[in-house]
């Protein structure tokens, strides 16, 4: 039996302080291959903490995170880096592109860890750019792109290594509504056509309603909404 793409078991994340903040308060969650999941909840509820823990960018204080059945608790940072590079793709609100590097190189860099030869990195990066509709802009640098185009580059970088799971923290947070729609349609298409597994944090209820599975975070606890149409 195939393990879930990601599984959280009794995850607690406490930030030190006076008093300490229990940002995740016993989270159990599993996401299977091919799912698209929206993570919603008020500001400060723990959504980014959840996504960072899912992405092994942050370690739980208690509990465990399994990715493709691998328990990450025992892994040293070096191994976590490898796991992130090969199995996870990240998309952030603020794009995180290298401004001085061509779009093609921004995307191809997503394959550096794998030790893929340069020509092959570029071939795959071009294919990813075509998938996000930016095949023509490979040699452009990010400062010449619109917000929506930048985010599509970031999405190309996230998918270039064909990860098991794409994690997106408010990917449309810096975009106007029309551009947001385009970026979401792209994520929808990656999920529907390519079977990409995606978890997306959003404040936008319209967005969340388009996604079949919705997880709400409240004071560090998760619950599932099963609304009309799901
Ligand atoms: N590095 C940190 N140190 C201390 N407390 C933190 C840290 N990061 C987050 N917190 C606290 O943990 C809680 C959850 O924060 P988190 O960023 O996960 O919320 P969020 O749901 O992503 O909010 P937003 O919608 O505003 O992005 C908040 O109370 C926040 O103040
Ligand atoms: Mg957040």
């Amino acid at each position: 039996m195939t393990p879930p793409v990601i599984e959280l078991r009794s995850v607690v994340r406490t930030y030190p302080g006076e008093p300490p903040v229990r940002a995740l308060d016993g989270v159990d969650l599993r996401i299977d291959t091919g799912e698209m999941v929206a993570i919603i909840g008020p500001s400060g509820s723990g959504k980014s903490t959840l996504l960072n823990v899912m992405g092994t960018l942050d370690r739980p204080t208690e509990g465990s995170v399994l990715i493709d059945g691998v328990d990450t608790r025992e892994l040293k940072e070096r191994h976590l880096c490898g796991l992130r590079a090969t199995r996870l793709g990240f998309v952030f609100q603020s794009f995180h592109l290298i401004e001085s590097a061509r779009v093609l190189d921004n995307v191809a860099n997503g394959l550096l860890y794998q030790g893929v030869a340069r020509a092959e990195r570029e071939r795959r990066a071009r294919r990813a750019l075509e998938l996000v509709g930016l095949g023509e802009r490979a040699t452009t640098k990010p400062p010449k792109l619109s917000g929506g185009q930048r985010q599509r580059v970031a999405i190309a970088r996230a998918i270039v290594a064909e990860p098991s799971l794409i994690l997106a923290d408010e990917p449309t947070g810096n975009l106007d509504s029309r551009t947001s729609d385009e970026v979401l349609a792209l994520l929808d298409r990656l999920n529907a056509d390519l079977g990409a597994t995606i978890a997306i944090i959003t404040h936008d209820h319209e967005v969340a309603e388009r996604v079949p599975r919705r997880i709400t975070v409240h004071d560090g606890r998760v619950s599932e909404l099963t609304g009309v149409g799901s």
Side-chain angles (χ1 to χ4, degrees), residues 15-16 21 23 41-50 169-170 201 203:
Y15 292 114
V21 177
S43 182
S45 58
K47 302 180 300 295
S48 293
T49 304
L50 175 62
D169 192 344
E170 298 195 49
I201 295 181
H203 269 125

Side-chain angles (χ1 to χ4, degrees), residues 42-190:
S43 182
S45 58
K47 302 180 300 295
S48 293
T49 304
L50 175 62
L51 207 85
N52 290 341
V53 165
M54 288 166 74
T56 75
L57 298 169
D58 188 15
R59 286 186 188 263
T61 314
E62 291 169 36
S64 50
V65 177
L66 286 79
I67 293 172
D68 290 331
V70 176
D71 191 338
T72 60
R73 187 165 40 180
E74 311 299 333
L75 298 182
K76 298 225 162 27
E77 186 54 36
R78 181 165 49 96
H79 289 117
L80 280 185
C81 274
L83 183 132
R84 278 195 292 271
T86 54
R87 299 186 194 248
L88 300 172
F90 295 92
V91 183
F92 298 101
Q93 182 171 349
S94 49
F95 321 127
H96 292 290
L97 300 177
I98 299 169
E99 298 292 308
S100 60
R102 297 178 306 166
V103 158
L104 182 68
D105 300 314
N106 266 282
V107 176
N109 281 349
L111 289 165
L112 275 176
Y113 189 92
Q114 276 88 329
V116 178
R118 186 190 174 95
E120 176 66 9
R121 285 204 302 274
E122 294 200 352
R123 196 184 64 77
R124 291 201 214 166
R126 281 184 194 280
R127 201 176 53 192
L129 283 167
E130 277 159 22
L131 277 171
V132 303
L134 288 176
E136 309 291 301
R137 308 306 296 270
T139 58
T140 309
K141 290 184 179 168
K144 294 211 168 148
L145 299 179
S146 70
Q149 289 172 329
R150 283 163 177 250
Q151 197 57 299
R152 278 147 62 199
V153 174
I155 292 170
R157 181 187 54 196
I159 62 175
V160 72
E162 299 181 356
S164 307
L165 176 64
I166 296 168
L167 296 166
D169 192 344
E170 298 195 49
T172 63
N174 280 337
L175 305 177
D176 61 50
S177 62
R178 191 180 60 82
T179 313
S180 295
D181 284 348
E182 285 170 15
V183 164
L184 291 165
L186 170 61
L187 290 172
D188 270 349
R189 190 158 56 75
L190 293 173

